[in-house]
Amino acid sequence: MALRLFNTLGRKIEEFKPITPGRVGMYTCGPTVYDYGHIGNFRTFVFQDLLRRYLKYKGYKVTQVMNLTDVDDKTIKGARREGVSLKEYTATYTKAFFEDLETLNIERAEYYPKATEHIDDMTRMVKKLIEKGYAYRRGDSAYYDISKFKNYGRLSGIKIDETSQRSRVEADEYKKEARDFALWKAWDEEDGDIFWETELGKGRPGWHIECSAMSTRYLGETFDIHAGGVDLIFPHHENEISQSEGANSQKFVNYWLHSEHLIVEGRKMSKSLGNIYTVRDILKRGYSGRTIRYLLLTAHYRAQLNFTEAGLKQAEASIGRLNDFLQRLRTQQVDRENPEIPKKCLEVRTRFEEAMDNDLNVPEALAAIFDFLRDVNRLIDTNGASKENLDEIYDTMLRLDTTLGVMETEKEAELPEDIMQLIKLRENARRRLDWKEADRIRIELLEKGIILEDTSEGVKWKRKR
Ligand code: AMP
Ligand code: ZN
């Protein structure tokens, strides 16, 4: 089955056809590294990861590029406030960003280019735009004249006359028109010692040009997919198109994908509204990275997702069910062959793929998995399962999880050596009938998050949730 995706350019669901068969080039707008990312940002990054993982599931070789915006008003302001270099300042938040990716089990992209390391690519592109008449210089600044680009507004549907009302137009006495946007910003006092001396003058790049220049460098002039949050459609992505297509005279991107916002009590989670939670805030409240990931994944990416404590609890319970099921498969006693099980495995794979092929419909894909859990549990309870049956169920779950990334793999389910030792010590204590010592160890394990159950088949353990 073919993958179908909603293309913002044209606003309809289309079959995905890559430029080169079997390969996908994908550019995803990344973070501005001036602070810890909030989970709204990470909803978008988890979505991009889901897309990447499902493309890989379908057998594509993916080349993903994600930019790191390490120079702009906010990073400069932060560095100057703290009295450190821009590099030092952004390094802190870049490191934090990668830690958060790890926490959320987001796969690494192939490239994470930094804006400050691609100034040459950007100035070259700006010069080309000036030569071709799309851009003009004023002093040490350069601007894009959007009236020159005939397709301006095709992505967002915004007409040129409306642009000044819709975008956060920066007051700037040098622009011909308020709606024009800066490609290169002349140095001013607020920039302190942060500037580059280039042929365009002393200054720094505008934000939009970095994505056009770096995507061309790593993916070529035309590539398959460009993704980001909906707030980037206008003006950021509209501007990227006008820059790249203006400079390269080629179609920039075939499929534009945008994920909806994470909201809190009906409003977008954003720093300016002061309603933000970082990944770290939520970890501190005792939830795991997988739980946060699960919550961010559960809604369809084109629907808003309301962030609540109840949602986190529900996500935690759902992951618990998935992991308990995997644990059951690992410890289930082997019985005779159950011919219904291979049918169920095929059915869940088919339903999962149909849902995901349909514009990444995660809610339906998850519904298929939970139906599978219920049916298979019942089948094993009533008729048992052979070793082959159990392996097939287990492999099916892990295969689906290569896309979702929420389940506990065998390795993670294994206990660390010190805990295994404690469990053995407790068993020895019980054999000696030293109940006091056995209890002491049980409590120690509980404090480490491990619950022991003494069953007729021996001691079993599970993780505290
Ligand atoms: P920034 O670090 O501000 O450049 O944003 C990084 C990414 O987060 C962009 O793709 C934004 O569209 C996205 N984003 C910002 N706020 C939210 C939100 N509340 N929900 C989902 N995505 C968001
Ligand atoms: Zn971008």
Side-chain angles (χ1 to χ4, degrees), residues 143-197:
Y143 300 96
Y144 197 103
D145 177 352
I146 65 172
S147 70
K148 296 276 166 61
F149 185 68
K150 69 175 192 319
N151 281 337
Y152 199 90
R154 253 184 68 190
L155 180 72
S156 59
I158 286 170
K159 304 222 167 38
I160 284 205
D161 324 340
E162 299 168 3
T163 52
S164 0
Q165 294 119 53
R166 296 289 295 272
S167 68
R168 294 164 278 174
V169 172
E170 295 165 45
D172 187 332
E173 58 196 299
Y174 295 116
K175 288 188 204 172
K176 275 203 264 186
E177 289 279 354
R179 66 194 180 201
D180 293 347
F181 63 89
L183 295 164
W184 185 259
K185 295 181 175 186
W187 178 86
D188 69 29
E189 271 165 31
E190 284 182 24
D191 294 344
D193 59 358
I194 298 161
F195 59 82
W196 286 263
E197 296 268 17

Short mmCIF file of all heavy atoms in Angstrom, two decimals, residues 143-197:
data_model
loop_
_atom_site.label_atom_id
_atom_site.label_comp_id
_atom_site.label_asym_id
_atom_site.label_seq_id
_atom_site.Cartn_x
_atom_site.Cartn_y
_atom_site.Cartn_z
N TYR A 143 17.18 42.84 1.83
CA TYR A 143 15.77 42.45 2.02
C TYR A 143 15.25 41.73 0.80
O TYR A 143 15.70 41.97 -0.33
CB TYR A 143 14.90 43.68 2.27
CG TYR A 143 15.29 44.45 3.48
CD1 TYR A 143 16.14 45.57 3.36
CD2 TYR A 143 14.86 44.08 4.75
CE1 TYR A 143 16.53 46.28 4.49
CE2 TYR A 143 15.26 44.78 5.87
CZ TYR A 143 16.09 45.88 5.74
OH TYR A 143 16.49 46.57 6.84
N TYR A 144 14.28 40.89 1.05
CA TYR A 144 13.59 40.21 -0.05
C TYR A 144 12.37 41.04 -0.41
O TYR A 144 11.56 41.40 0.45
CB TYR A 144 13.15 38.81 0.39
CG TYR A 144 12.81 37.91 -0.77
CD1 TYR A 144 13.69 36.93 -1.20
CD2 TYR A 144 11.59 38.04 -1.45
CE1 TYR A 144 13.39 36.09 -2.28
CE2 TYR A 144 11.28 37.22 -2.53
CZ TYR A 144 12.18 36.24 -2.94
OH TYR A 144 11.88 35.43 -4.00
N ASP A 145 12.21 41.34 -1.69
CA ASP A 145 11.06 42.10 -2.16
C ASP A 145 9.99 41.10 -2.61
O ASP A 145 10.06 40.55 -3.70
CB ASP A 145 11.51 42.98 -3.34
CG ASP A 145 10.35 43.76 -3.96
OD1 ASP A 145 9.18 43.52 -3.58
OD2 ASP A 145 10.63 44.61 -4.83
N ILE A 146 9.03 40.83 -1.74
CA ILE A 146 8.13 39.72 -2.03
C ILE A 146 7.21 39.99 -3.23
O ILE A 146 6.67 39.06 -3.81
CB ILE A 146 7.30 39.27 -0.79
CG1 ILE A 146 6.35 40.34 -0.31
CG2 ILE A 146 8.20 38.80 0.32
CD1 ILE A 146 5.41 39.83 0.78
N SER A 147 7.08 41.24 -3.62
CA SER A 147 6.24 41.52 -4.79
C SER A 147 6.88 40.96 -6.07
O SER A 147 6.23 40.79 -7.09
CB SER A 147 6.00 43.02 -4.94
OG SER A 147 7.21 43.65 -5.32
N LYS A 148 8.17 40.62 -5.99
CA LYS A 148 8.88 40.10 -7.17
C LYS A 148 8.67 38.61 -7.37
O LYS A 148 8.96 38.07 -8.44
CB LYS A 148 10.40 40.37 -7.05
CG LYS A 148 10.77 41.83 -7.04
CD LYS A 148 10.86 42.36 -8.46
CE LYS A 148 10.88 43.88 -8.55
NZ LYS A 148 12.02 44.49 -7.86
N PHE A 149 8.20 37.94 -6.34
CA PHE A 149 8.05 36.49 -6.45
C PHE A 149 6.59 36.15 -6.73
O PHE A 149 5.73 36.29 -5.87
CB PHE A 149 8.53 35.81 -5.16
CG PHE A 149 8.54 34.31 -5.23
CD1 PHE A 149 9.43 33.65 -6.08
CD2 PHE A 149 7.64 33.57 -4.49
CE1 PHE A 149 9.42 32.26 -6.16
CE2 PHE A 149 7.62 32.18 -4.57
CZ PHE A 149 8.52 31.53 -5.42
N LYS A 150 6.34 35.68 -7.96
CA LYS A 150 4.94 35.61 -8.38
C LYS A 150 4.11 34.56 -7.63
O LYS A 150 2.90 34.69 -7.51
CB LYS A 150 4.82 35.42 -9.90
CG LYS A 150 5.28 34.07 -10.41
CD LYS A 150 4.99 33.97 -11.91
CE LYS A 150 5.15 32.56 -12.46
NZ LYS A 150 6.30 31.78 -11.99
N ASN A 151 4.78 33.54 -7.09
CA ASN A 151 4.03 32.52 -6.36
C ASN A 151 3.90 32.80 -4.86
O ASN A 151 3.50 31.93 -4.10
CB ASN A 151 4.69 31.15 -6.54
CG ASN A 151 4.33 30.57 -7.89
OD1 ASN A 151 3.32 30.93 -8.48
ND2 ASN A 151 5.18 29.67 -8.39
N TYR A 152 4.25 34.01 -4.45
CA TYR A 152 4.21 34.30 -3.02
C TYR A 152 2.78 34.09 -2.49
O TYR A 152 1.83 34.63 -3.05
CB TYR A 152 4.68 35.72 -2.69
CG TYR A 152 5.06 35.84 -1.23
CD1 TYR A 152 6.36 35.58 -0.82
CD2 TYR A 152 4.09 36.13 -0.27
CE1 TYR A 152 6.70 35.62 0.53
CE2 TYR A 152 4.43 36.16 1.08
CZ TYR A 152 5.73 35.91 1.47
OH TYR A 152 6.07 35.94 2.81
N GLY A 153 2.65 33.31 -1.44
CA GLY A 153 1.33 33.07 -0.85
C GLY A 153 0.71 31.75 -1.25
O GLY A 153 -0.35 31.38 -0.77
N ARG A 154 1.38 31.01 -2.14
CA ARG A 154 0.77 29.75 -2.60
C ARG A 154 0.65 28.69 -1.51
O ARG A 154 -0.29 27.93 -1.46
CB ARG A 154 1.60 29.17 -3.74
CG ARG A 154 0.87 29.32 -5.07
CD ARG A 154 1.64 28.68 -6.19
NE ARG A 154 1.67 27.23 -6.05
CZ ARG A 154 2.44 26.44 -6.79
NH1 ARG A 154 3.26 26.95 -7.69
NH2 ARG A 154 2.43 25.14 -6.62
N LEU A 155 1.60 28.68 -0.60
CA LEU A 155 1.56 27.68 0.47
C LEU A 155 0.50 28.04 1.52
O LEU A 155 -0.31 27.21 1.91
CB LEU A 155 2.95 27.59 1.14
CG LEU A 155 3.07 26.58 2.28
CD1 LEU A 155 3.05 25.15 1.75
CD2 LEU A 155 4.35 26.81 3.08
N SER A 156 0.52 29.28 1.94
CA SER A 156 -0.34 29.70 3.06
C SER A 156 -1.69 30.19 2.60
O SER A 156 -2.63 30.30 3.40
CB SER A 156 0.36 30.81 3.84
OG SER A 156 0.61 31.90 2.97
N GLY A 157 -1.81 30.56 1.35
CA GLY A 157 -3.06 31.13 0.86
C GLY A 157 -3.21 32.60 1.21
O GLY A 157 -4.26 33.20 1.02
N ILE A 158 -2.13 33.19 1.70
CA ILE A 158 -2.20 34.60 2.09
C ILE A 158 -1.83 35.48 0.90
O ILE A 158 -0.85 35.22 0.20
CB ILE A 158 -1.28 34.85 3.30
CG1 ILE A 158 -1.95 34.25 4.54
CG2 ILE A 158 -1.02 36.34 3.51
CD1 ILE A 158 -1.07 34.20 5.74
N LYS A 159 -2.62 36.50 0.66
CA LYS A 159 -2.35 37.41 -0.46
C LYS A 159 -1.31 38.45 -0.04
O LYS A 159 -1.25 38.84 1.13
CB LYS A 159 -3.64 38.13 -0.87
CG LYS A 159 -4.76 37.17 -1.22
CD LYS A 159 -5.50 37.65 -2.46
CE LYS A 159 -6.41 36.59 -3.02
NZ LYS A 159 -7.12 35.76 -2.03
N ILE A 160 -0.53 38.88 -0.99
CA ILE A 160 0.55 39.81 -0.67
C ILE A 160 0.05 41.04 0.08
O ILE A 160 0.67 41.48 1.04
CB ILE A 160 1.30 40.24 -1.96
CG1 ILE A 160 2.19 39.09 -2.41
CG2 ILE A 160 2.12 41.49 -1.74
CD1 ILE A 160 3.37 39.47 -3.24
N ASP A 161 -1.11 41.56 -0.30
CA ASP A 161 -1.60 42.78 0.37
C ASP A 161 -1.92 42.54 1.85
O ASP A 161 -1.95 43.46 2.64
CB ASP A 161 -2.89 43.31 -0.27
CG ASP A 161 -2.90 43.11 -1.77
OD1 ASP A 161 -1.79 42.95 -2.31
OD2 ASP A 161 -3.99 43.13 -2.37
N GLU A 162 -2.19 41.27 2.18
CA GLU A 162 -2.56 41.00 3.57
C GLU A 162 -1.34 40.74 4.45
O GLU A 162 -1.47 40.65 5.66
CB GLU A 162 -3.43 39.73 3.66
CG GLU A 162 -4.73 39.81 2.92
CD GLU A 162 -5.38 38.42 2.81
OE1 GLU A 162 -4.82 37.44 3.37
OE2 GLU A 162 -6.42 38.33 2.17
N THR A 163 -0.19 40.57 3.82
CA THR A 163 0.95 40.06 4.59
C THR A 163 1.34 40.96 5.75
O THR A 163 1.67 40.47 6.81
CB THR A 163 2.20 39.88 3.70
OG1 THR A 163 2.41 41.10 3.01
CG2 THR A 163 2.02 38.74 2.74
N SER A 164 1.27 42.28 5.57
CA SER A 164 1.73 43.13 6.67
C SER A 164 0.83 43.01 7.89
O SER A 164 1.27 43.15 9.01
CB SER A 164 1.84 44.60 6.25
OG SER A 164 1.47 44.75 4.94
N GLN A 165 -0.46 42.71 7.66
CA GLN A 165 -1.33 42.54 8.84
C GLN A 165 -1.09 41.19 9.49
O GLN A 165 -1.27 41.04 10.69
CB GLN A 165 -2.81 42.63 8.44
CG GLN A 165 -3.24 44.00 7.94
CD GLN A 165 -3.73 43.92 6.52
OE1 GLN A 165 -4.59 43.14 6.20
NE2 GLN A 165 -3.14 44.75 5.65
N ARG A 166 -0.71 40.19 8.69
CA ARG A 166 -0.64 38.84 9.23
C ARG A 166 0.70 38.50 9.87
O ARG A 166 0.76 37.72 10.78
CB ARG A 166 -0.92 37.81 8.12
CG ARG A 166 -2.31 37.90 7.57
CD ARG A 166 -3.32 37.39 8.61
NE ARG A 166 -3.15 35.97 8.88
CZ ARG A 166 -3.74 35.01 8.19
NH1 ARG A 166 -4.56 35.32 7.20
NH2 ARG A 166 -3.54 33.76 8.50
N SER A 167 1.77 39.07 9.36
CA SER A 167 3.05 38.64 9.93
C SER A 167 3.49 39.62 11.01
O SER A 167 3.00 40.73 11.11
CB SER A 167 4.12 38.55 8.85
OG SER A 167 4.42 39.84 8.38
N ARG A 168 4.45 39.13 11.82
CA ARG A 168 5.00 40.00 12.83
C ARG A 168 5.97 40.92 12.11
O ARG A 168 7.17 40.67 12.06
CB ARG A 168 5.75 39.16 13.87
CG ARG A 168 4.85 38.25 14.66
CD ARG A 168 5.64 37.19 15.36
NE ARG A 168 5.97 36.09 14.46
CZ ARG A 168 6.76 35.07 14.77
NH1 ARG A 168 7.34 35.03 15.92
NH2 ARG A 168 6.98 34.10 13.90
N VAL A 169 5.41 41.94 11.50
CA VAL A 169 6.26 42.81 10.69
C VAL A 169 7.18 43.62 11.59
O VAL A 169 6.75 44.21 12.57
CB VAL A 169 5.39 43.76 9.84
CG1 VAL A 169 6.26 44.79 9.15
CG2 VAL A 169 4.62 42.97 8.81
N GLU A 170 8.44 43.57 11.25
CA GLU A 170 9.39 44.32 12.07
C GLU A 170 9.48 45.74 11.54
O GLU A 170 9.61 45.95 10.34
CB GLU A 170 10.77 43.66 11.97
CG GLU A 170 10.81 42.28 12.57
CD GLU A 170 12.06 41.54 12.13
OE1 GLU A 170 13.15 42.14 12.16
OE2 GLU A 170 11.92 40.37 11.75
N ALA A 171 9.41 46.67 12.46
CA ALA A 171 9.57 48.06 12.04
C ALA A 171 11.02 48.23 11.58
O ALA A 171 11.93 47.79 12.25
CB ALA A 171 9.27 48.97 13.21
N ASP A 172 11.21 48.81 10.47
CA ASP A 172 12.55 48.95 9.94
C ASP A 172 12.52 50.04 8.89
O ASP A 172 11.88 49.90 7.84
CB ASP A 172 12.97 47.60 9.33
CG ASP A 172 14.43 47.60 8.92
OD1 ASP A 172 14.95 48.69 8.59
OD2 ASP A 172 15.03 46.52 8.91
N GLU A 173 13.23 51.11 9.19
CA GLU A 173 13.13 52.28 8.31
C GLU A 173 13.73 52.05 6.92
O GLU A 173 13.45 52.78 5.99
CB GLU A 173 13.84 53.47 8.97
CG GLU A 173 15.28 53.14 9.27
CD GLU A 173 15.92 54.09 10.25
OE1 GLU A 173 15.99 55.29 9.94
OE2 GLU A 173 16.36 53.63 11.32
N TYR A 174 14.55 50.99 6.80
CA TYR A 174 15.24 50.80 5.53
C TYR A 174 14.46 50.03 4.48
O TYR A 174 14.81 50.03 3.32
CB TYR A 174 16.57 50.07 5.76
CG TYR A 174 17.52 50.88 6.59
CD1 TYR A 174 17.93 50.45 7.83
CD2 TYR A 174 18.01 52.10 6.09
CE1 TYR A 174 18.81 51.20 8.60
CE2 TYR A 174 18.89 52.86 6.85
CZ TYR A 174 19.29 52.40 8.09
OH TYR A 174 20.15 53.14 8.84
N LYS A 175 13.42 49.33 4.91
CA LYS A 175 12.71 48.49 3.94
C LYS A 175 11.92 49.34 2.97
O LYS A 175 11.38 50.38 3.34
CB LYS A 175 11.71 47.60 4.68
CG LYS A 175 12.31 46.49 5.46
CD LYS A 175 11.15 45.64 5.94
CE LYS A 175 11.50 44.86 7.18
NZ LYS A 175 10.34 44.20 7.74
N LYS A 176 11.80 48.85 1.74
CA LYS A 176 10.95 49.53 0.76
C LYS A 176 9.50 49.40 1.20
O LYS A 176 8.72 50.32 1.11
CB LYS A 176 11.12 48.89 -0.62
CG LYS A 176 12.31 49.44 -1.39
CD LYS A 176 12.12 49.23 -2.88
CE LYS A 176 12.83 47.97 -3.30
NZ LYS A 176 12.87 47.68 -4.71
N GLU A 177 9.16 48.17 1.64
CA GLU A 177 7.80 47.87 2.05
C GLU A 177 7.86 47.13 3.38
O GLU A 177 8.73 46.29 3.57
CB GLU A 177 7.13 46.93 1.03
CG GLU A 177 6.81 47.55 -0.29
CD GLU A 177 5.51 48.34 -0.27
OE1 GLU A 177 4.81 48.30 0.76
OE2 GLU A 177 5.22 48.99 -1.28
N ALA A 178 6.91 47.42 4.26
CA ALA A 178 6.92 46.77 5.57
C ALA A 178 6.88 45.25 5.43
O ALA A 178 7.45 44.52 6.24
CB ALA A 178 5.72 47.23 6.39
N ARG A 179 6.22 44.75 4.37
CA ARG A 179 6.05 43.30 4.22
C ARG A 179 7.34 42.61 3.79
O ARG A 179 7.45 41.39 3.89
CB ARG A 179 4.98 43.02 3.18
CG ARG A 179 5.39 43.49 1.81
CD ARG A 179 4.28 43.55 0.83
NE ARG A 179 4.83 44.02 -0.44
CZ ARG A 179 4.10 44.57 -1.39
NH1 ARG A 179 2.82 44.72 -1.23
NH2 ARG A 179 4.67 44.96 -2.52
N ASP A 180 8.31 43.33 3.26
CA ASP A 180 9.57 42.69 2.86
C ASP A 180 10.27 42.14 4.10
O ASP A 180 10.08 42.64 5.20
CB ASP A 180 10.47 43.71 2.15
CG ASP A 180 9.87 44.13 0.81
OD1 ASP A 180 8.92 43.47 0.35
OD2 ASP A 180 10.34 45.15 0.25
N PHE A 181 11.05 41.10 3.88
CA PHE A 181 11.71 40.53 5.06
C PHE A 181 13.22 40.54 4.92
O PHE A 181 13.75 40.54 3.80
CB PHE A 181 11.19 39.13 5.38
CG PHE A 181 11.45 38.10 4.31
CD1 PHE A 181 12.63 37.36 4.32
CD2 PHE A 181 10.52 37.87 3.30
CE1 PHE A 181 12.88 36.40 3.34
CE2 PHE A 181 10.77 36.92 2.32
CZ PHE A 181 11.94 36.19 2.34
N ALA A 182 13.90 40.57 6.06
CA ALA A 182 15.36 40.72 6.07
C ALA A 182 16.04 39.41 5.73
O ALA A 182 15.72 38.35 6.27
CB ALA A 182 15.83 41.20 7.44
N LEU A 183 16.99 39.49 4.81
CA LEU A 183 17.84 38.34 4.47
C LEU A 183 19.15 38.47 5.24
O LEU A 183 19.74 37.48 5.66
CB LEU A 183 18.12 38.34 2.97
CG LEU A 183 16.91 38.11 2.06
CD1 LEU A 183 17.25 38.52 0.63
CD2 LEU A 183 16.46 36.67 2.12
N TRP A 184 19.57 39.70 5.37
CA TRP A 184 20.81 40.00 6.08
C TRP A 184 20.58 41.26 6.91
O TRP A 184 20.03 42.24 6.37
CB TRP A 184 21.95 40.22 5.08
CG TRP A 184 23.29 40.40 5.73
CD1 TRP A 184 23.94 41.57 5.93
CD2 TRP A 184 24.11 39.37 6.27
NE1 TRP A 184 25.13 41.35 6.59
CE2 TRP A 184 25.26 39.99 6.80
CE3 TRP A 184 23.99 37.97 6.38
CZ2 TRP A 184 26.28 39.27 7.43
CZ3 TRP A 184 25.01 37.26 7.00
CH2 TRP A 184 26.15 37.91 7.51
N LYS A 185 20.93 41.20 8.18
CA LYS A 185 20.66 42.35 9.06
C LYS A 185 21.95 43.06 9.42
O LYS A 185 22.86 42.44 10.01
CB LYS A 185 20.00 41.88 10.36
CG LYS A 185 18.63 41.28 10.15
CD LYS A 185 18.04 40.86 11.48
CE LYS A 185 16.61 40.39 11.23
NZ LYS A 185 15.89 40.10 12.45
N ALA A 186 22.00 44.35 9.12
CA ALA A 186 23.19 45.13 9.45
C ALA A 186 23.39 45.13 10.96
O ALA A 186 22.42 45.07 11.73
CB ALA A 186 23.01 46.56 8.96
N TRP A 187 24.64 45.17 11.36
CA TRP A 187 24.99 45.18 12.78
C TRP A 187 24.37 46.40 13.46
O TRP A 187 24.31 47.48 12.88
CB TRP A 187 26.52 45.23 12.91
CG TRP A 187 26.99 45.30 14.34
CD1 TRP A 187 27.20 44.25 15.19
CD2 TRP A 187 27.31 46.48 15.09
NE1 TRP A 187 27.62 44.70 16.41
CE2 TRP A 187 27.70 46.08 16.38
CE3 TRP A 187 27.31 47.85 14.79
CZ2 TRP A 187 28.08 46.97 17.37
CZ3 TRP A 187 27.68 48.75 15.78
CH2 TRP A 187 28.07 48.31 17.06
N ASP A 188 23.86 46.22 14.67
CA ASP A 188 23.55 47.41 15.48
C ASP A 188 24.05 47.16 16.90
O ASP A 188 24.49 46.05 17.24
CB ASP A 188 22.07 47.78 15.41
CG ASP A 188 21.16 46.77 16.10
OD1 ASP A 188 21.62 46.12 17.06
OD2 ASP A 188 20.01 46.63 15.67
N GLU A 189 23.96 48.19 17.72
CA GLU A 189 24.61 48.12 19.04
C GLU A 189 24.14 46.94 19.88
O GLU A 189 24.91 46.36 20.65
CB GLU A 189 24.37 49.42 19.80
CG GLU A 189 25.45 50.44 19.52
CD GLU A 189 25.05 51.82 19.96
OE1 GLU A 189 24.30 51.93 20.94
OE2 GLU A 189 25.50 52.78 19.29
N GLU A 190 22.89 46.59 19.73
CA GLU A 190 22.37 45.49 20.54
C GLU A 190 23.03 44.14 20.23
O GLU A 190 22.91 43.20 21.01
CB GLU A 190 20.85 45.37 20.35
CG GLU A 190 20.12 46.46 21.11
CD GLU A 190 18.62 46.35 20.98
OE1 GLU A 190 18.13 45.24 20.73
OE2 GLU A 190 17.97 47.38 21.14
N ASP A 191 23.68 44.07 19.09
CA ASP A 191 24.36 42.81 18.72
C ASP A 191 25.72 42.67 19.41
O ASP A 191 26.32 41.59 19.37
CB ASP A 191 24.56 42.74 17.20
CG ASP A 191 23.23 42.64 16.46
OD1 ASP A 191 22.22 42.33 17.11
OD2 ASP A 191 23.22 42.89 15.24
N GLY A 192 26.21 43.77 20.00
CA GLY A 192 27.51 43.71 20.68
C GLY A 192 28.60 43.20 19.75
O GLY A 192 28.77 43.69 18.64
N ASP A 193 29.33 42.16 20.21
CA ASP A 193 30.44 41.67 19.38
C ASP A 193 29.99 40.51 18.49
O ASP A 193 30.81 39.74 18.01
CB ASP A 193 31.63 41.28 20.25
CG ASP A 193 31.26 40.19 21.25
OD1 ASP A 193 30.06 39.78 21.28
OD2 ASP A 193 32.14 39.77 22.02
N ILE A 194 28.70 40.36 18.30
CA ILE A 194 28.22 39.26 17.46
C ILE A 194 27.90 39.77 16.05
O ILE A 194 26.90 40.47 15.85
CB ILE A 194 26.99 38.59 18.10
CG1 ILE A 194 27.39 38.00 19.47
CG2 ILE A 194 26.42 37.50 17.19
CD1 ILE A 194 26.25 37.73 20.39
N PHE A 195 28.76 39.47 15.12
CA PHE A 195 28.55 39.89 13.73
C PHE A 195 29.50 39.13 12.82
O PHE A 195 30.46 38.50 13.30
CB PHE A 195 28.78 41.41 13.57
CG PHE A 195 30.16 41.84 13.95
CD1 PHE A 195 31.24 41.73 13.07
CD2 PHE A 195 30.41 42.35 15.23
CE1 PHE A 195 32.52 42.12 13.43
CE2 PHE A 195 31.70 42.73 15.61
CZ PHE A 195 32.74 42.61 14.70
N TRP A 196 29.22 39.13 11.55
CA TRP A 196 30.12 38.57 10.55
C TRP A 196 30.40 39.65 9.52
O TRP A 196 29.50 40.40 9.14
CB TRP A 196 29.46 37.36 9.85
CG TRP A 196 29.42 36.13 10.71
CD1 TRP A 196 30.31 35.10 10.68
CD2 TRP A 196 28.46 35.81 11.72
NE1 TRP A 196 29.96 34.15 11.63
CE2 TRP A 196 28.83 34.55 12.29
CE3 TRP A 196 27.32 36.44 12.24
CZ2 TRP A 196 28.11 33.93 13.30
CZ3 TRP A 196 26.60 35.83 13.25
CH2 TRP A 196 27.00 34.58 13.78
N GLU A 197 31.67 39.74 9.12
CA GLU A 197 32.04 40.68 8.05
C GLU A 197 31.92 39.91 6.74
O GLU A 197 32.69 38.98 6.51
CB GLU A 197 33.50 41.13 8.22
CG GLU A 197 33.77 41.91 9.47
CD GLU A 197 33.62 43.42 9.27
OE1 GLU A 197 33.01 43.83 8.25
OE2 GLU A 197 34.11 44.17 10.14
#
